[in-house]
């Protein structure tokens, strides 16, 4: 990961002006993704994961907008491009996979129409050429008898097959960056693993960077190289998947991992842990660290000042507990039971 | 699909039978046909003979069956007022009405869809808001008033277009048409606009609402994420999905355009079936009224059937039984 990142997001702030005040669904978010790397982005609903993805690809619905910060694709800024320039990047250099394959294909056009259209727009091929490419793309995502299925309509495919078609569409123009926004949430459990494996394999083969947004810890543990945990619009912890999933530093990450069922161990005797309370609304984000009202380890500094990302092992965590000044608290804490 | 068509045709026949019964009832309850045909000075002899000939003493069901039988063969009897076969009268005037209805439907659809798409895409623009407000006027003004206003402005004040009649018509294969001459085109313009204005505003508002709904769908977002141009997204993806409900409403509206051409035809003295109907009502010319009722019923039923079949053309999901097999 020493080469320059494919995607580099720095201090990204997204704001939505409303009658009751300006909302900040994404607040000072920074991360990099290298070629061939999968960055998992996790967090509760409303944490700003999808909004971050939309901001990267330039599809925030008005009146929302990028208020400050930078998004760079292979070094070049893309957050301030004109709409026509951004359109040439979407689909061509950044592909996106959405959550619900039932809803993300146009029901009135055949999958071939939709693939050929995308290929023609970005690669400037003729119709017959585009059709050949489209069939190849369908074969690559594992659609059997692709040369016949290409003339089928989306409703003639199952959910998993449709998500394969969506992946073929997202990758049709060989983008260097893929944003997958909860690609498995709407699918049957039995199909989820296949889809994730497919996405990972195809991106790895192409050396594409992947931003995998999900709240499925299993998917993250299996697929991601690094993980960013988001809470109330901020990245609270980011680091290698082993560390963040296996030994999280931020109390919120600890809670999130504790709330994930595991099949190993004595499941019957072990109750699933919950994080008390709910994520704050965007209009009433607490002062200091946004997590402090729910945090079992909060102390006086937490409600006064928001913590920056601090080094903790090979991860970064936005928690005062990781600050050298507070190391004594970490040591003296008697905590495993505290989060319940 | 064939089963579907057969089922719909059978339903349509059922509806027509009910409409036929209502038309038939008019003969029973509206005045005395004998008096209508012979006048008050007829002798008892003549009356008896006519009653015999028309079969008015037969049981009601027998009379109804005879009515239906005649109607199927296009025989609706003689007009009381003009003493000519009703079918002849109607066929003579039907082209004028159909042409008026189609021209106004085309104007309504073309403008309605274009304006609807425009107002949906430029949702908050000044022009879109202006059009939306103006469309309220179109919805709320009664047809006859719109007609009179148009006549006042374009015929009386500006003198650009004729205020009544069909003007010069050209005959194509026995169909007298307005569309073949400049004068005919000028004559059909005002009545067609009058008749279509309400439908146009309706279609426009419907297209706008549907389009806004469709633009919120995931596949539109996905189409944008694939880097398609705004034009391809709006017209290639959104508009087509908007059209399903629009086709339904437009189809049904076409029926009412023909049916409610009565008012427009009266205002513009347009020699169509609606105008004929109004005159028949004045003279209690029951055979013409009954035939008109049946005609409108049949038109509605046929249009509905066509609309149902159009769904299959537009929406592949309905064709799935066929598409799945290839």
């Amino acid at each position: 990961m020493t080469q320059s990142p494919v995607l580099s997001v720095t201090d990204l702030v997204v704001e939505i002006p409303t009658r009751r005040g300006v909302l900040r669904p994404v607040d000072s978010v920074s991360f990099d993704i290298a070629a061939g790397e999968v960055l998992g982005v996790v967090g509760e609903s409303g944490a700003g994961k999808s909004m971050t993805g939309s901001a990267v690809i330039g599809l925030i619905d008005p009146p929302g907008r990028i208020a400050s910060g930078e998004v760079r694709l292979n070094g070049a800024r893309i957050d301030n491009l004109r709409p026509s320039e951004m359109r040439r990047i979407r689909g061509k250099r950044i592909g996106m996979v959405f959550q619900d394959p039932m809803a993300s294909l146009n029901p009135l056009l055949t999958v071939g129409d939709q693939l050929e259209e995308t290929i023609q727009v970005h690669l400037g091929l003729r119709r017959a050429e585009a059709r050949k490419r489209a069939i190849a793309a369908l074969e690559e995502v594992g659609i059997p008898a692709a040369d016949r299925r290409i003339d089928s309509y989306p409703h003639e495919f199952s959910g998993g097959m449709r998500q394969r078609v969506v992946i073929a569409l997202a990758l049709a123009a060989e983008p260097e960056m893929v944003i997958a926004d909860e690609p498995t949430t709407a699918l049957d459990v039995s199909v989820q693993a296949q889809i994730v494996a497919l996405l990972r394999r195809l991106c790895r083969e192409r050396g594409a960077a992947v931003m995998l947004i999900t709240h499925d810890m299993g998917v993250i543990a299996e697929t991601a190289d690094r993980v960013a945990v988001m809470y109330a619009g901020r990245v609270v912890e980011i680091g290698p998947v082993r560390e963040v999933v296996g030994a999280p530093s931020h109390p919120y990450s600890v809670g999130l991992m504790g709330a994930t069922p595991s099949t190993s161990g004595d499941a019957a005797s072990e109750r699933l842990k919950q994080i008390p309370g709910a994520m704050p609304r965007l209009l009433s984000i607490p002062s200091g660290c946004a997590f402090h009202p729910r945090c079992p380890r909060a102390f006086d500094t937490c409600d006064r000042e928001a913590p920056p990302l601090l080094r903790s092992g090979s991860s970064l965590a936005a928690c005062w507990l990781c600050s050298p000044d507070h190391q004594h608290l970490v040591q003296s804490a008697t905590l495993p039971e505290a989060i319940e | 699909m064939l089963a579907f068509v057969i089922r719909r045709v059978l339903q349509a026949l059922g509806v027509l039978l009910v409409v036929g019964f209502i038309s038939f009832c008019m003969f029973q309850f509206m005045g005395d046909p004998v008096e209508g045909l012979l006048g008050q000075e007829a002798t008892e002899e003549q009356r008896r003979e006519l009653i015999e000939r028309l079969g008015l003493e037969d049981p009601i069901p027998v009379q109804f069956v005879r009515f239906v039988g005649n109607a199927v063969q296009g025989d609706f009897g003689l007009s009381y007022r003009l003493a000519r076969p009703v079918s002849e009268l109607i066929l003579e005037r039907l082209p004028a009405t159909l042409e008026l209805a189609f021209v106004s439907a085309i104007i309504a659809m073309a403008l309605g869809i274009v304006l609807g798409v425009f107002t949906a895409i430029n949702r908050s623009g000044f022009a879109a808001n202006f059009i939306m407000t103006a469309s309220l006027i179109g919805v709320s003004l009664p047809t006859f008033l719109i007609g009179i206003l148009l006549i006042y402005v374009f015929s009386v004040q500006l003198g650009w277009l004729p205020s009544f009649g069909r003007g010069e018509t050209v005959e194509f294969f026995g169909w007298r048409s307005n569309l073949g001459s400049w004068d005919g085109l000028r004559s059909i313009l005002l009545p067609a606009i009058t008749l279509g204005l309400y439908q146009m505003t309706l279609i426009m508002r419907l297209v706008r609402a549907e389009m806004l709904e469709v633009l919120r769908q995931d596949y539109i977002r996905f189409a944008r994420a694939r880097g398609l141009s705004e034009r391809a997204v709006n017209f290639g993806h959104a508009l087509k999905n908007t059209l399903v409900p629009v086709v339904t409403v437009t189809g049904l509206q076409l029926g009412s355009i023909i049916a409610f051409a009565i008012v427009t035809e009266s205002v513009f003295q347009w020699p169509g079936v609606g105008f004929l109907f109004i005159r028949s009502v004045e003279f209690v010319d029951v055979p013409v009224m009954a035939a008109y009722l049946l005609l409108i019923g049949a038109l509605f039923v046929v249009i509905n059937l066509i609309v149902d079949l159009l769904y299959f053309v537009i929406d592949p999901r309905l064709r799935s039984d066929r598409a799945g097999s290839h």
Side-chain angles (χ1 to χ4, degrees):
Chain A
M1 262 166 268
T2 46
Q3 81 233 63
S4 70
V6 173
L7 182 77
S8 171
V9 174
T10 318
D11 291 326
L12 182 71
V13 178
V14 174
E15 288 186 345
I16 305 176
T18 67
R19 251 169 288 170
R20 292 196 289 163
V22 177
L23 308 181
R24 280 196 170 193
V26 177
D27 193 358
S28 314
V29 165
S30 303
F31 59 86
D32 290 345
I33 310 180
E37 187 187 32
V38 179
L39 174 75
V41 180
V42 293
E44 286 167 86
S45 304
K49 304 170 303 220
S50 295
M51 192 60 92
T52 307
S54 301
V56 168
I57 201 169
L59 278 180
I60 298 177
D61 291 319
R65 63 195 182 87
I66 296 179
S68 61
E70 281 183 8
V71 179
R72 284 174 186 273
L73 185 63
N74 277 324
R77 273 189 78 164
I78 58 166
D79 55 289
N80 53 0
L81 294 180
R82 277 183 283 125
S84 58
E85 294 171 320
M86 194 60 212
R87 198 177 65 230
R88 249 167 276 149
I89 288 180
R90 281 201 289 268
K92 173 87 182 91
R93 298 184 61 196
I94 306 181
M96 188 147 183
V97 177
F98 284 100
Q99 174 172 352
D100 188 355
M102 301 294 171
S104 43
L105 296 170
N106 188 335
L108 302 188
L109 299 176
T110 65
V111 300
D113 289 337
Q114 302 185 47
L115 267 166
E116 285 162 32
E117 168 185 58
T118 314
I119 291 167
Q120 279 180 308
V121 164
H122 293 301
L123 305 180
L125 295 176
R126 262 189 262 144
R127 184 125 204 184
E129 287 287 309
R131 191 177 162 85
K132 257 184 237 160
R133 288 281 296 238
I135 293 173
L138 285 180
E139 269 163 4
E140 219 174 358
V141 294
I143 305 265
D147 53 334
R148 282 190 295 123
R149 295 295 270 158
I150 191 167
D151 292 318
S152 302
Y153 288 94
H155 71 271
E156 298 169 67
F157 289 88
S158 66
M161 283 294 160
R162 272 191 232 189
Q163 195 64 306
R164 286 172 192 264
V165 172
V166 169
I167 291 172
L169 274 164
L171 299 180
E174 311 253 317
E176 56 225 65
M177 165 83 214
V178 174
I179 301 173
D181 191 351
E182 314 231 5
T184 57
T185 310
L187 299 177
D188 282 350
V189 182
S190 54
V191 186
Q192 286 181 357
Q194 293 173 11
I195 294 296
V196 168
L198 173 74
L199 191 64
R200 186 181 166 82
R201 176 174 63 80
L202 291 176
C203 291
R204 184 140 297 181
E205 282 169 10
R206 290 166 166 76
V210 180
M211 177 175 170
L212 177 64
I213 300 167
T214 180
H215 39 232
D216 187 335
M217 285 302 158
V219 168
I220 290 288
E222 237 169 81
T223 319
D225 300 301
R226 286 189 306 137
V227 187
V229 180
M230 286 190 73
Y231 185 79
R234 286 169 174 267
V235 172
V236 294
E237 180 162 2
I238 181 166
V241 66
R242 262 174 297 102
E243 204 154 318
V244 178
V245 174
S249 309
H250 196 285
Y252 176 66
S253 315
V254 174
L256 205 58
M257 305 313 154
T260 306
S262 99
T263 44
S264 61
D266 198 350
S269 67
E270 199 180 325
R271 280 198 64 183
L272 208 55
K273 299 203 172 62
Q274 310 177 2
I275 305 175
M279 204 172 61
R281 301 225 188 159
L282 287 173
L283 274 170
S284 51
I285 289 184
S287 61
C289 170
F291 186 60
H292 83 261
R294 300 171 75 187
C295 181
R297 301 174 66 182
F299 53 93
D300 51 354
T301 319
C302 297
D303 64 352
R304 289 202 306 268
E305 226 176 313
L309 279 169
L310 299 165
R311 184 146 294 284
S312 162
S314 44
S315 320
L316 296 170
C319 181
W320 289 121
L321 293 170
C322 303
S323 154
D325 309 341
H326 294 88
Q327 280 308 315
H328 62 281
L329 282 166
V330 182
Q331 261 106 53
S332 65
T334 52
L335 273 170
E337 269 80 48
I339 297 171
E340 194 109 27
Chain B
M1 178 163 161
L2 189 66
F4 171 81
V5 173
I6 291 170
R7 204 163 56 230
R8 289 316 304 254
V9 168
L10 288 178
Q11 282 171 2
L13 288 178
V15 169
L16 279 182
L17 212 59
V18 171
V19 174
F21 183 69
I22 294 170
S23 316
F24 171 73
C25 286
M26 293 207 311
F27 285 100
Q28 304 296 322
F29 297 116
M30 292 177 72
D32 181 358
V34 179
E35 204 147 290
L37 278 173
L38 294 177
Q40 289 186 338
E41 284 100 59
T43 62
E44 197 60 22
E45 196 80 355
Q46 288 171 303
R47 285 169 172 273
R48 189 129 316 186
E49 194 203 6
L50 189 65
I51 288 173
E52 189 76 17
R53 190 151 59 82
L54 294 178
L56 294 178
E57 305 250 277
D58 293 344
I60 300 279
V62 174
Q63 288 192 43
F64 179 57
V65 169
R66 187 171 335 117
F67 172 78
V68 172
N70 287 339
V72 168
Q73 292 164 32
D75 178 7
F76 295 94
L78 290 179
S79 157
Y80 296 165
R81 181 166 64 98
L82 301 166
R84 288 175 56 200
V86 172
S87 47
E88 210 177 288
L89 284 174
I90 287 193
L91 280 182
E92 222 170 72
R93 285 149 186 269
L94 197 57
T97 297
L98 288 183
E99 202 164 274
L100 178 63
F102 278 111
V103 170
S104 66
I106 285 166
I107 292 176
M109 218 153 46
L111 282 178
I113 290 177
V114 168
L115 290 178
V117 169
F118 176 80
T119 49
I121 295 173
N122 306 297
R123 188 169 20 174
S124 44
F126 173 77
N129 281 326
F130 177 77
I131 292 169
M132 286 306 289
T133 312
S135 78
L136 278 178
I137 300 172
V139 172
S140 50
L141 279 189
T143 310
F144 73 91
L145 194 59
I146 292 168
I148 291 168
L149 282 176
L150 287 176
I151 289 176
Y152 180 74
V153 174
F154 291 100
S155 305
V156 180
Q157 294 296 319
L158 297 170
W160 291 350
L161 297 165
S163 62
F164 70 92
R166 274 190 98 177
E168 195 184 322
T169 54
V170 180
E171 194 161 317
F172 298 108
F173 310 106
W175 175 290
R176 280 177 61 213
S177 170
N178 267 64
L179 306 178
S181 71
W182 179 236
D183 187 50
L185 281 175
R186 276 162 38 99
S187 298
I188 204 172
L189 202 56
L190 283 187
I193 291 173
T194 306
L195 188 54
L197 194 66
Y198 176 77
Q199 322 295 338
M200 186 201 89
T201 48
L202 198 75
I203 291 172
M204 179 193 116
R205 291 179 154 262
L206 181 74
V207 168
R208 175 179 180 273
E210 282 298 322
M211 185 97 173
L212 287 177
E213 179 64 36
V214 168
L215 285 176
R216 272 195 292 272
Q217 300 295 315
D218 270 4
Y219 55 80
I220 296 299
R221 222 176 132 68
F222 189 45
R224 291 222 167 89
R226 284 188 276 138
L228 303 185
S229 66
E230 278 303 302
R231 209 180 54 197
V233 171
N234 288 331
F235 294 97
H237 286 263
L239 185 59
K240 202 175 176 196
N241 284 279
T242 305
L243 287 184
V244 177
V246 174
V247 165
T248 321
V249 171
T250 311
L252 297 179
Q253 290 302 316
L254 186 62
S256 32
I257 283 181
I258 295 170
F260 297 120
I262 294 174
V263 175
T264 308
E265 288 183 4
S266 304
V267 171
F268 288 92
Q269 301 282 297
W270 191 261
V273 282
F275 196 39
L276 175 71
F277 177 72
I278 288 285
R279 301 306 302 274
S280 308
V281 171
E282 284 167 18
F283 289 91
V284 202
D285 194 348
V286 177
V288 176
M289 287 155 69
Y292 179 78
L293 197 64
L294 261 178
L295 173 77
I296 297 297
L299 275 171
F300 262 94
V301 163
V302 168
I303 289 168
N304 266 334
L305 193 62
I306 293 173
V307 167
D308 281 339
L309 294 180
L310 267 182
Y311 285 157
F312 281 92
V313 179
I314 297 177
D315 195 333
R317 282 167 292 189
L318 297 174
R319 283 180 255 149
S320 53
D321 54 322
R322 194 186 57 115
S325 61
H326 70 212

